[in-house]
Structures are given as structure tokens and as C-alpha cells.
Amino acid sequence: QVQLVESGGGLVQPGGSLRLSCAASGIIFSISVMGWYRQVPGKQRDLVAVITSGGSTNYAQSVKGRFTISRDNAKNTVYLQMNSLKPEDTAVYYCYTSGSGDYWGQGTQVTVSS
């Protein structure tokens, strides 16, 4: 059974920081591509960041230089460090893995507001 459990979301002020975590089970984590997506009501779910099994990363232009994706294979966990947050970063953030199929976490809400 594949499970992706996100945590770390919450309410922060513009310019603040949050660190999201995604704990994975039911996959061979060390060889799996992992990613973070985000979605607001009425809009499509967009890629935020992705990290390969070898540690290569790619980011959406809108978050480049502000967000950092990383992974800890010993803990089967992928992280998203979000700095210099803006109101337009407000969304539900979803963890993703390609694995043997496409799997999504339940999502964690990030709200950036003063």
C-alpha cells in the first residue's frame, strides 16, 4: 500500500518561511522520483519542484531561488523548504511520486497572509 503523508503547512506572513515534509511508504524510496505540486480552487495542479533518485532538481520559475527540495533516503522523506513566501504561494501543496504508478498525498494547506 503506497502512502504519502504531508505535514508542515500553516499560516505565515509574507516574507516568512515554512518547511513541508512528506513521509513515504510502500515504495522503494531510494529509486523513486519525488515531487511537490500545488493547487488553488478553480485552477490546475502545477509542478512546484521535483527531485530524482540521484538528487537532480528542477523548479517552477515562480519559486526558483526561494524554494528548495531535498530528500533523506534513510527516513523515506522528501522536504520542501519555502522562504520569502508571497501571498500568491497560498495553495494546497501535494506530495507526488511516480513509483510503479502515480500517487499523491492528501495535501497540506499553506496560507500566506498578513
Side-chain angles (χ1 to χ4, degrees):
Q1 190 84 326
V2 177
Q3 288 187 310
L4 303 173
V5 181
E6 302 101 329
S7 61
L11 174 64
V12 296
Q13 296 183 10
S17 298
L18 281 176
R19 190 193 194 200
L20 305 184
S21 298
C22 172
S25 61
I27 63 171
I28 307 176
F29 185 86
S30 62
I31 63 171
S32 298
V33 172
M34 304 296 299
W36 288 96
Y37 288 69
R38 66 186 181 187
Q39 186 173 31
V40 298
K43 295 188 176 181
Q44 68 180 27
R45 188 173 297 184
D46 293 326
L47 176 70
V48 176
V50 63
I51 185 167
T52 69
S53 60
S56 297
T57 59
N58 192 39
Y59 299 90
Q61 186 65 40
S62 60
V63 307
K64 201 169 296 182
R66 300 188 297 121
F67 291 10
T68 303
I69 188 171
S70 62
R71 65 193 296 159
D72 186 338
N73 288 348
K75 297 181 178 180
N76 284 9
T77 300
V78 62
Y79 305 95
L80 185 67
Q81 178 67 47
M82 304 185 294
N83 299 325
S84 301
L85 283 162
K86 305 174 180 179
E88 51 263 45
D89 295 319
T90 296
V92 177
Y93 284 70
Y94 295 91
C95 184
Y96 166 85
T97 183
S98 57
S100 298
D102 295 339
Y103 295 96
W104 300 90
Q106 82 286 355
T108 185
Q109 177 71 47
V110 172
T111 302
V112 185
S113 177
S114 59

